[in-house]
Amino acid sequence: MENPLLVAGGVLSAAASVLHLAVIVGGPSWYRFFGAGEAMVRMAERGSLYPTIVTIGIASVLAVWSAYAFAGAGLIPRLPLMRTALIAISTVYLLRGLVLIPAFVINPGGVQPFVLWSSLIVLVYGLFYTVGTWIAWPTLSPG
């Protein structure tokens, strides 16, 4: 395994994708537990398809991101726009993780538990993708 950080990032993104699909199966209580927000929970309780569609969309994006990490690590064939995609994925994960900074500034008395743990988890994802992409950079050019 040439790039364990991208492999780890891919595994984490794949796990997050599967978890999102499990939330759909788990229903409204799972949406609530995993921080989807009360509006999404109420829609799920009413049987609306909207939470399912949104959650499938998120799961799909995470699955594609996982594939890019695995391709960057050399586990699967190269995908289009490897460098661009891995930089974009890294950036999204890092920015989402860094939500903690304004959250603490806005609410110095305490951050909601979901914001805290989800931000820390996603920050780790972003670090794996960022450092893994940096290590793989020379091998990511078309060729």
Side-chain angles (χ1 to χ4, degrees), residues 14-24 30 34 55:
S17 177
V18 170
L19 180 60
H20 277 79
L21 296 175
V23 166
I24 295 168
W30 282 47
F34 286 103
T55 307

Side-chain angles (χ1 to χ4, degrees), residues 112-137:
Q112 293 178 347
F114 173 77
V115 172
L116 178 63
W117 63 259
S118 65
S119 295
L120 291 173
I121 289 169
V122 173
L123 190 58
V124 170
Y125 285 34
L127 291 172
F128 282 156
Y129 273 83
T130 300
V131 177
T133 299
W134 180 70
I135 291 168
W137 194 257

Side-chain angles (χ1 to χ4, degrees), residues 96-116 119:
R96 170 55 184 85
L98 293 173
V99 159
L100 273 179
I101 295 170
F104 276 116
V105 170
I106 292 169
N107 190 7
V111 174
Q112 293 178 347
F114 173 77
V115 172
L116 178 63
S119 295

